[in-house]
Amino acid sequence: MVRVRFAPSPTGYLHVGGARTALFNWLFARKMGGKFVLRIEDTDLERSSQEMSFEILQALRWLRLEWDEGPIYQSRRLVIYRRMAERLVREGKAYYCYCTKEEIEERRRASGKKVWKYDRRCLHLSQEEKERFEREGRPRAVRFLVPPGVTEYQDLILGRVSVKNDEIEDFVLLKSDGYPTYHLSVVVDDHLMKITHVIRGADHIANTPKQILLYRAFGWEPPLFAHLPLILGKDRKKLSKRHGETSVLAFRERGIVSLAMVNFLAQLSWSPGEDKDFYTMEELAERFSLEKVRKSNPIFDLDKLAWLNSKVISALSAGDIWPELLPFLEREGIKEESEAKKDWVFRVIELIKERSRDLLEMARKIKRYIRNDFDYSEDALRKHWKEGAKDGLRRLRQVYAGLDSLDAASAEASLRALAEEMGVKAARLIHPLRVALLGERVSPPIFHVVEVLGKEEVLLRIDRALRELPDV
RNA sequence: GCCCCCGUCGUCUAGCCAGGUUAGGACACCGCCCUUUCAAGGCGGCGGCAUGGGUUCAAGUCCCGUCGGGGGCGCCA
C-alpha cells in the first residue's frame, strides 16, 4: 500500500512550491490507490504558529487536496522523538554534545575555514569531563555519529544520487532544549506512519543521505525518495516573497479558480504528453507518474496561469463556478441580489464566462447586468456615442416597445430592419445600444444581452441613456 | 570555497532511458480570416537542442570536458 505525506512547517503561508509538492503527493496517492497523510511539522516553536497551520489547511482545501489522515502535529509527539534519540545514544550511534553555540562559533572562526564540520570534540570526552559537564548542569544536545562510507540511493526522479559520508557532519538530532531537529522527527514519523514514498522539493536532496543513515541506525527500511525540481522566479532564483505574491491563497484572492491553479501547478515539471489544455483532478491523477517528472527547474510564469484561468472559466458550467464566485459577488455588494435570482445570474454567467479572465472581472461584469445605475465608461462613449446615436436609439426604442416579445432573434431582426429603413449600417444602432445597455465599449453579442435583460429592463436602460447621455 | 543536481524556442513542454522525424505542441508576441464590439475559433509568422570534443554510417538522444543555472553546507524545516 502506497502511503505518502505532505509535511509543511507552519512558519509561513502555503506558497506555490509547497502547493505543488502537496499536489504531486496527492496525485501519486490517487494514482496508486494509496493514502495521503498530512503532517504539520511545528517543532520550531519560535517560528510556527497556529494561524499559519490554519492557513495551510485552508489552501489545501481550496485546491481540493483532501487528506486521508491527519493533520498530525509533531509538537504533540515530542516524547517519541526524545525516546528515539536516547535509544541511539544508548546504542552508541549518537552522542551527547555539550558544546555551546558560542564555543562552536569560536572554533569555526579559529579554523579559518568558511565551512566547518563539527569536530567531534564531545565524542571524545573523557568520563570525568562528561561527569563534570553533567554536574555543572550544562545543556546537552544529541548528535548523530555519522559512520564512514558512502551513502547512495535511487531517486525516483533524479536517478542515482551518491554522497561520501565524510561530507556530512555529525548533525544534531535533539536540541539542547529537548526539541527534535527536522532530521530526527521526519525520519521517526515517516517510519512510524509507514510512509512508502517521500516526494518533496529538491532543496531536500542533501538531507536525504543523512536521513538514510538515520534509518539504518534505527534498523529501519528507508522509504523511496523523489525530489521535485524547484520552482524558480523570473530571475531564476528559488521562488520567494521577493517575487511578488507566491501564496496560493493570494491567487484565489485574485480570482483564479482552483482547477486552473491545480492544472498550472501540475504542469510545472510534469506533462501528460498530450495536446490538451487542462484536466479534471481525476484525469490528472489517472495520467500522473513520477517517471514523467522532468529534472530541470521550471520558471513560474503568470501569463500561462492567466490564460489557463480564462480557459477553465470558459469550460466550467455556471453551477461549477458559482461557489468560487460568491466571495467576489459579495465584494461587489451584489451577493444577496445574485442569490435571489440565481437562475438568471447563471444565464448571465454563461453569457460572459468566455470573456472573463478571472472571477474578479466576472463579478464586476455581473454587477452591470444586475444593477442599471452603472457609470458609462469614457471609453465606450468616445468610441460608440457618435453622431446620430441618440436619434437611432430613440427610434429603436419605439420599435422594441412595439414588439410582443423581445428575444435575441426578434431584437436582431427588428434592429436590422430599422437600420435598412434608416439607410445606415446595423453597427450604427448596435453600438449605441451596447452603450445604453451596459455602458461599456465591449460586451457579449448584444442581442443575447437584450434577451437576458428582458424587454422591460432594455427599455428602462435605453430611456436612461436617452435621458443622461449628451446629444450628439 | 566544498558537495549535490540540472541544461530543447523568451516561458511551460514533447522527443532522450531502447541514436535515423523538415525537432512537435502550448503561452506570450506579430499578421490575416471570421465578425455588431470584445473574446473564442481558424490560418500563418517569429523563435530552440548552451558549448567543445569523442563514440557511430548516423547524436537533441550515448560518453567526457567546459560554460551556464539551481540547491545544500544551522541546536531552521
Side-chain angles (χ1 to χ4, degrees), chain A residues 16 34 233 263 265 304 310 320 360 449:
Chain A
V16 294
N263 270 274
L265 257 19
K304 189 76 172 263
S310 66
D320 289 336
L360 226 68
V449 174

Side-chain angles (χ1 to χ4, degrees), chain A residues 197-224:
Chain A
H197 297 70
V198 171
I199 305 169
R200 76 226 301 199
D203 46 349
H204 285 293
I205 293 175
N207 292 331
T208 307
K210 297 181 187 175
Q211 292 166 13
I212 287 174
L213 255 15
L214 259 182
Y215 278 99
R216 290 204 193 126
F218 280 119
W220 300 333
E221 183 67 25
L224 296 171

Side-chain angles (χ1 to χ4, degrees), chain A residues 293-351:
Chain A
V293 176
R294 286 172 57 86
K295 300 177 183 178
S296 56
N297 301 336
I299 293 171
F300 190 70
D301 174 29
L302 283 326
D303 282 343
K304 189 76 172 263
L305 176 59
W307 171 81
L308 206 47
N309 200 45
S310 66
K311 281 297 261 194
V312 171
I313 288 175
S314 306
L316 290 176
S317 69
D320 289 336
I321 295 171
W322 183 252
E324 291 199 68
L325 180 64
L326 274 174
F328 295 94
L329 294 177
E330 181 157 33
R331 228 188 267 188
E332 292 295 327
I334 53 170
K335 188 180 167 206
E336 279 71 35
E337 286 159 275
S338 300
E339 281 174 320
K341 28 185 170 177
K342 191 166 155 186
D343 290 346
W344 179 75
V345 174
F346 273 24
R347 287 174 61 201
V348 175
I349 293 174
E350 292 298 342
L351 195 56

Side-chain angles (χ1 to χ4, degrees), chain A residues 112-129:
Chain A
K113 289 184 200 148
K114 273 190 197 156
V115 290
W116 179 85
K117 258 172 48 190
Y118 180 67
D119 55 8
R120 290 190 165 168
R121 169 162 301 185
C122 290
L123 176 63
H124 306 299
L125 247 33
S126 68
Q127 199 55 38
E128 295 77 58
E129 284 172 310

Side-chain angles (χ1 to χ4, degrees), chain A residues 141-278:
Chain A
V142 174
R143 279 187 189 270
F144 182 64
L145 179 59
V146 174
V150 174
T151 304
E152 281 192 326
Y153 76 99
Q154 189 68 26
D155 192 289
L156 264 20
I157 291 168
L158 301 172
R160 182 153 295 275
V161 178
S162 164
V163 172
K164 293 178 213 58
N165 292 2
D166 58 18
E167 302 287 346
I168 306 172
E169 79 168 351
D170 288 351
F171 52 95
V172 171
L173 296 176
L174 203 64
K175 305 180 216 171
S176 51
D177 63 4
Y179 280 78
T181 62
Y182 166 69
H183 296 296
L184 209 221
S185 59
V186 81
V187 166
V188 167
D189 279 348
D190 282 342
H191 174 257
L192 259 25
M193 295 170 194
K194 299 186 163 38
I195 299 304
T196 58
H197 297 70
V198 171
I199 305 169
R200 76 226 301 199
D203 46 349
H204 285 293
I205 293 175
N207 292 331
T208 307
K210 297 181 187 175
Q211 292 166 13
I212 287 174
L213 255 15
L214 259 182
Y215 278 99
R216 290 204 193 126
F218 280 119
W220 300 333
E221 183 67 25
L224 296 171
F225 292 92
H227 289 97
L228 305 172
L230 259 18
I231 301 174
L232 268 29
K234 279 224 186 304
D235 58 356
R236 293 177 187 279
K237 298 276 183 242
K238 186 174 159 185
L239 205 59
S240 70
K241 289 101 211 160
R242 358 192 328 274
H243 296 95
E245 277 304 348
T246 57
S247 151
V248 284
L249 287 183
F251 290 97
R252 179 174 70 173
E253 291 304 302
R254 283 197 233 163
I256 300 293
V257 292
S258 163
L259 191 58
M261 194 74 217
V262 163
N263 270 274
F264 178 69
L265 257 19
Q267 296 182 68
L268 280 181
S269 302
W270 177 78
S271 159
E274 296 170 44
D275 190 13
K276 189 164 149 65
D277 295 330
F278 67 93

Side-chain angles (χ1 to χ4, degrees), chain A residues 396 399-400 403 407-420 447:
Chain A
L396 184 63
V399 172
Y400 279 180
L403 254 38
D407 57 19
S410 62
E412 175 159 17
S414 53
L415 180 143
R416 289 194 188 281
L418 175 62
E420 193 158 339
F447 304 114

